[in-house]
Amino acid sequence: PSALALLQRSREGQAGNSGTPSADGEGLLSLPFLQRCLNAGNEQVQMWAAYQLLDRWREESEHYVEHLFASPLAEIRESAINLIGRYKLQRFAFPLLRLLKTDEDGLQLPAALALANLRYEPAGRALQSWYQGLMADNEQAPATLEVAAQSLLTFDTQRYWPEIYAALESHRQNHSVFAILFRQLCAVAVTGPLQASVAEADTGAG
């Protein structure tokens, strides 16, 4: 039956206990039923199904993340991207690299953060190139630069710290850029030497 037909049957009590999630049954909150709801013709049903999957079946995301990622709704695709990064699903590296380059559906920023968590080597180079392009652009959006710096430091703090710290030093007069880079460096400065270098930069900025 279609997702909407099964929804109606479940409401009428003909498809088992609709209040009990099941991984292989046909209940209202079962994994198979919610996956089918992602293909419903109604956007509200799709959003409801995505929410239920994330709320009740997050640990089973390997079974449905492709469905989320293929959704025509940007909000659902973003939820898939977050899962990809959280669970380090390497098979999505190339689609995420494409999103980083094209910003399709406005998904560039979540794609960057997910790529940083994947630690896929070509992604590191792509993130670095993106960050450097933003730093060379005087009109860059602060939120975009913030995510670019965060992504690099998440990918490999030790490798990209010197580059971002050097940019911090050279942008003392640009308070917006300085604040963004300083904030991101502070977020990862967990060792004594790193903390000292950030503190020194802050003193110099004053």
Side-chain angles (χ1 to χ4, degrees):
S2 70
L4 290 180
L6 188 52
L7 178 62
Q8 181 61 31
R9 282 173 48 192
S10 297
R11 183 178 181 183
E12 294 169 354
Q14 297 175 0
N17 186 350
S18 63
T20 303
S22 169
D24 53 8
E26 289 292 344
L28 181 61
L29 299 176
S30 69
L31 186 56
F33 172 66
L34 292 173
Q35 287 179 280
R36 287 201 294 277
C37 283
L38 292 174
N39 298 318
N42 185 293
E43 290 187 1
Q44 290 181 323
V45 173
Q46 294 175 38
M47 291 295 294
W48 170 81
Y51 172 81
Q52 295 298 333
L53 284 167
L54 294 169
D55 183 52
R56 300 172 182 276
W57 298 104
R58 186 176 295 271
E59 299 304 320
E60 301 292 332
S61 59
E62 278 277 356
H63 299 293
Y64 63 78
V65 67
E66 284 90 355
H67 297 286
L68 296 179
F69 194 69
S71 172
L73 303 180
E75 297 92 334
I76 294 179
R77 293 182 70 197
E78 183 173 354
S79 70
I81 291 170
N82 293 336
L83 288 174
I84 291 166
R86 176 174 179 173
Y87 293 106
K88 298 177 173 56
L89 305 179
Q90 295 282 339
R91 66 183 183 276
F92 290 94
F94 286 115
L96 291 180
L97 284 169
R98 185 177 67 250
L99 289 176
L100 179 68
K101 181 178 180 180
T102 65
D103 194 23
E104 179 184 331
D105 293 331
L107 295 173
Q108 183 181 60
L109 302 191
L113 293 173
L115 283 168
N117 284 321
L118 294 187
R119 309 280 167 75
Y120 174 62
E121 191 57 38
R125 295 192 292 270
L127 290 169
Q128 183 182 35
S129 177
W130 178 49
Y131 163 79
Q132 291 173 347
L134 292 171
M135 290 299 295
D137 180 7
N138 293 327
E139 303 299 322
Q140 81 274 22
T144 304
L145 179 59
E146 184 115 32
V147 170
Q150 179 184 351
S151 298
L152 274 186
L153 290 169
T154 299
F155 187 91
D156 190 330
T157 301
Q158 295 296 330
R159 183 191 306 180
Y160 294 113
W161 174 281
E163 179 174 351
I164 294 178
Y165 184 77
L168 182 75
E169 290 283 349
S170 63
H171 284 79
R172 291 182 180 276
Q173 303 307 313
N174 187 326
H175 296 295
S176 175
V177 172
F178 185 93
I180 289 169
L181 300 182
F182 181 76
R183 186 161 53 244
Q184 290 305 316
L185 288 171
C186 283
V188 297
V190 295
T191 65
L194 296 184
Q195 290 173 345
S197 62
V198 172
E200 181 182 346
D202 186 35
T203 301

